[in-house]
Amino acid sequence: MTGILSSSLSKLSFLQILDLSNLKNLKGNIPKELGRLSHLTHLFLDSNQLTGSIPSTFRHLVKLEKLYIGNNLLFGSIPSSVFHSLTSLLELSLSSNELSGGIPSSIGKLVSLTKLDLHANFLSGSIPVSIKGLKNLKYLDLSENHLIGSIPTSIGELSELIVLYLNQNHLTGSIPSSISNLISLQFCRLSENRLTGGLPASIGELPNIQRLILENNRLNGKLPATIGHLTTLVHIFFSNNNFSGKIPSSFGNLQNLQTLDLSKNHLSGSIPPQLAKLQQLQTLDLSFNPINLVRIPHWLAKLNLFRLKLARTGITGRLPKWLASTSISILDLSSNGLTGKLPHWIGNMTNLSFLNLSNNGFHSSIPVEFKKLSILMDLDLHSNKLTGNLGTIFSKRTKDPLGHFNSVDLSRNLFVGPIDEDIGDQASMESIEVLVLSYNSLGGSIPRSLGKLSELKKLELRGNGLSGTIPPELGEAKKLMSLVLSDNSLNGSIPAKVLNLEELREFDVAVNRLTGRIPPHRAKIPVSAFRDNPGLCGAPLLPCKHT
C-alpha cells in the first residue's frame, strides 16, 4: 500500500482503533485532523515513511491508550502540550525517527504509562526529573540519543520498572545509589556513556536483575562485593571502564551467570577460584587487565565455557593440555608470553570456530592435526615465530555450512612459500573476506586462483618477497576493498581490471619493480601508494613520456 494519509480519516468519528503500521511506503505528513478522532484508543502508524512533525492536535485524543509512530522520518520537537491531556496513555513509542529538542517535562503527566520508547532519535537536554511521576512504568528506552547530564536520583521511584535502557547517550556523573529501589528491574543497559565514579554498593539490592550492561563508560573504583548477592544475574558486561582492585570472590555466588565480561579495565590480583562454581558460565572475558595470570587456572577446565578470552593478562609458558578436553569455541590468548610449539593436540579442539594466538612467542610449523579443525572460521596467528609452509592451514577440513574461513591473519611470522597456486580452490577459502600474509618469506608469485575468492574484501601481501606480475585475475574478486602488495619485487604493469574494481578503497604497490602507465581509476589513491617503482608513470605520478 502506498500514498499518503488522507485527512478524511478524521470523519470516521467513532473510530477506536486505527492500525496502518508496517505498510512501508506510506509517506507524507500525519494529518492534524486525526486529532478529531476523540474515541480513538489505539493509533498505530509505525514502520512507514511518514515525515513532518507530531501534530499538536493529538492532545485532543484523551481516550488514547496506545500510540505507536516509531520507525518513520518524523522531525521537530515533541510537542509538550500533547502530554498534558493524554492521562489514559499506557504505551508510547516515538522511536527511530529524527526528533530533536528536549524531552518535555510534561511527560510526568502520563501517569498511566507502562511503556515509553524514545530511542534512536536526536533528542538532547537532560532526563527530566518529572519522570518520577510515571509510577506504573515498566519499560523505559531513551537510548541512542544525545542526552546529557546525570541520571536523575528520582529514577529510583520507578519501582515497577523492568527494562531500563539509557545507552548510547552523553550522560555524565555517577550511577545514583537510588538504583537499588528498582526492585522489579531485570534489564539495565547504561553502556556507551560518560558515566564516572564507582558502582554504588546498593547495586547489590536488585532482587530480579538479569542483565547488567555498563560497558564503555569511565566508571572506576573497586567492584562492590555486594554484586555477589545478585543471584538472578545472567549477563555482566563491564568492559572498557576504569575498574581496579581484585575481582570479588563473591562473584562465585552468581549461580545463573552465563556471561562475565570484565575486559579492558585495571583489575589486578588472581582470578578467584570461587568462579569454578559458575556452572552456567559460557563466556569469560578478562582480557586487557593487568592481572598477571602467569598460568591459566586449571579449574577453568571444570567449566563448560563456550568463549574464553584472556588476551594480555600476563600468561607465560606453554599452552595447557587440558584445553584439548574442553568444548571451547572462541579462544583468545593473544598478546601474552606463550612460547613453545603449537601442540599436536590442538587438533582435538574440534569445537573451535575462532582462534587468536597472535602476538606470542610460538615457534614451530603448523601441526598436521590442525586440519581437523573443521568448523574454524577466524584464525589470527600474527606476530609469532611460526615456520613451515601455509598449506596445512588452507587445506583444512570443513563441515558445511561451517568451517569456511571469514578471516585469516598470519602476518609477521617466519612462514615460507611459495603460496600454493590452488589456494583459491580450497573449500576452506570459499567465503573468506580478510586474508593477511604480510611479512613472511613466501617468495614465488601471486596465485591467480585468488581471483576466485568472490567474498574477499581485504588482501595484504606486503613484504613477502613476491616476484612476477600482478595477475589480472585479481580483478575477478569483485568485493575487494583493500589490496596491499607493497615492499615486494613485482614487475610488469598494473592490470586495469584490478585498479578499477568497483569497491576498491585502498591500493598500495609501493616499493616494487612495476613499469608502464598507471591505468585510469575511480578510487582516490595517493602518490605514496605507487612510490619507488621507477618504471611507473601517469596520474597520480608524473605523466608518461611519449617516445
Side-chain angles (χ1 to χ4, degrees), residues 137-212:
L137 204 60
K138 290 179 166 57
Y139 184 104
L140 175 60
D141 190 350
L142 306 179
S143 65
E144 299 176 61
N145 279 291
H146 302 306
L147 299 175
I148 60 170
S150 56
I151 300 170
T153 304
S154 60
I155 206 162
E157 299 187 31
L158 306 180
S159 58
E160 298 291 315
L161 205 60
I162 296 171
V163 173
L164 174 61
Y165 292 155
L166 302 178
N167 51 293
Q168 286 176 262
N169 279 291
H170 306 300
L171 298 173
T172 53
S174 56
I175 296 172
S177 57
S178 62
I179 197 169
S180 61
N181 298 329
L182 302 181
I183 54 174
S184 303
L185 197 63
Q186 295 179 24
F187 306 101
C188 178
R189 186 167 188 175
L190 309 179
S191 54
E192 289 88 33
N193 278 293
R194 299 169 187 171
L195 299 172
T196 53
L199 276 184
S202 62
I203 204 162
E205 299 171 28
L206 300 172
N208 293 298
I209 193 73
Q210 294 180 29
R211 187 173 295 169
L212 195 51

Side-chain angles (χ1 to χ4, degrees), residues 218-515:
R218 299 168 187 174
L219 298 166
N220 55 38
K222 294 183 177 181
L223 295 172
T226 53
I227 290 176
H229 300 157
L230 305 177
T231 53
T232 54
L233 258 180
V234 180
H235 302 287
I236 289 178
F237 291 95
F238 289 178
S239 174
N240 202 21
N241 278 287
N242 296 315
F243 292 120
S244 56
K246 294 185 175 183
I247 301 167
S249 58
S250 62
F251 277 32
N253 300 330
L254 304 176
Q255 63 212 34
N256 291 301
L257 202 64
Q258 294 178 18
T259 302
L260 178 57
D261 185 352
L262 304 177
S263 62
K264 297 179 183 173
N265 279 287
H266 304 299
L267 299 169
S268 55
S270 57
I271 306 175
Q274 288 85 350
L275 298 191
K277 295 188 288 183
L278 305 180
Q279 290 301 304
Q280 303 298 317
L281 198 65
Q282 295 178 18
T283 296
L284 177 62
D285 191 350
L286 304 178
S287 297
F288 304 101
N289 280 290
I291 51 181
N292 294 320
L293 274 185
V294 183
R295 296 282 181 273
I296 305 173
H298 190 273
W299 52 259
L300 286 175
K302 298 176 184 177
L303 302 176
N304 192 29
L305 289 175
F306 180 80
R307 290 181 191 85
L308 177 60
K309 296 189 171 188
L310 299 173
R312 200 183 294 171
T313 50
I315 303 167
T316 61
R318 297 172 182 269
L319 278 178
K321 193 170 182 178
W322 56 260
L323 284 170
S325 56
T326 67
S327 56
I328 292 171
S329 178
I330 295 171
L331 180 63
D332 186 352
L333 302 176
S334 60
S335 300
N336 280 298
L338 291 164
T339 56
K341 296 182 176 182
L342 212 54
H344 292 276
W345 51 256
I346 202 163
N348 295 334
M349 298 185 71
T350 51
N351 288 309
L352 277 179
S353 64
F354 176 104
L355 177 63
N356 188 349
L357 300 177
S358 66
N359 204 16
N360 278 289
F362 292 108
H363 54 81
S364 68
S365 57
I366 305 295
V368 68
E369 290 84 356
F370 184 92
K371 291 187 177 187
K372 296 180 186 176
L373 303 181
S374 58
I375 65 169
L376 185 67
M377 292 179 283
D378 291 279
L379 176 65
D380 191 348
L381 300 177
H382 85 263
S383 302
N384 280 283
K385 298 172 185 174
L386 296 165
T387 59
N389 59 44
L390 306 173
T392 307
I393 293 172
F394 299 125
S395 61
K396 80 168 191 71
R397 298 172 194 165
T398 58
K399 188 182 284 185
D400 283 335
L402 305 175
H404 302 276
F405 283 125
N406 295 319
S407 65
V408 173
D409 189 346
L410 306 175
S411 60
R412 299 183 186 277
N413 278 287
L414 303 173
F415 289 118
V416 294
I419 306 170
D420 291 338
E421 182 53 50
D422 65 350
I423 184 173
D425 298 309
Q426 298 289 351
S428 69
M429 300 291 282
E430 277 179 11
S431 55
I432 194 163
E433 295 184 7
V434 176
L435 178 60
V436 182
L437 305 179
S438 300
Y439 300 113
N440 285 286
S441 302
L442 300 180
S445 57
I446 301 171
R448 288 176 166 75
S449 64
L450 286 171
K452 298 178 182 178
L453 302 178
S454 58
E455 300 299 315
L456 192 63
K457 294 177 181 176
K458 180 177 182 177
L459 176 62
E460 286 195 12
L461 301 175
R462 177 187 278 127
N464 287 137
L466 298 170
S467 56
T469 59
I470 300 173
E473 286 84 354
L474 285 181
E476 297 298 324
K478 302 291 188 189
K479 293 188 179 179
L480 257 182
M481 298 173 67
S482 175
L483 178 60
V484 178
L485 306 174
S486 53
D487 297 294
N488 285 294
S489 300
L490 298 169
N491 56 49
S493 59
I494 299 172
K497 193 174 183 181
V498 174
L499 200 52
N500 277 290
L501 280 162
E502 201 162 320
E503 302 294 325
L504 199 65
R505 300 290 178 271
E506 182 186 19
F507 181 80
D508 192 347
V509 290
V511 196
N512 277 288
R513 299 172 185 170
L514 298 169
T515 56

Side-chain angles (χ1 to χ4, degrees), residues 64-114:
L64 205 60
E65 295 176 6
K66 294 186 180 183
L67 174 59
Y68 281 75
I69 50 178
N71 201 17
N72 279 292
L73 302 168
L74 301 173
F75 54 83
S77 57
I78 301 171
S80 168
S81 58
V82 169
F83 295 153
H84 279 285
S85 51
L86 301 188
T87 51
S88 298
L89 202 62
L90 300 174
E91 297 179 11
L92 172 63
S93 175
L94 310 178
S95 65
S96 299
N97 278 293
E98 296 170 12
L99 299 170
S100 56
I103 300 171
S105 60
S106 59
I107 200 147
K109 304 282 187 183
L110 305 180
V111 291
S112 302
L113 209 60
T114 61

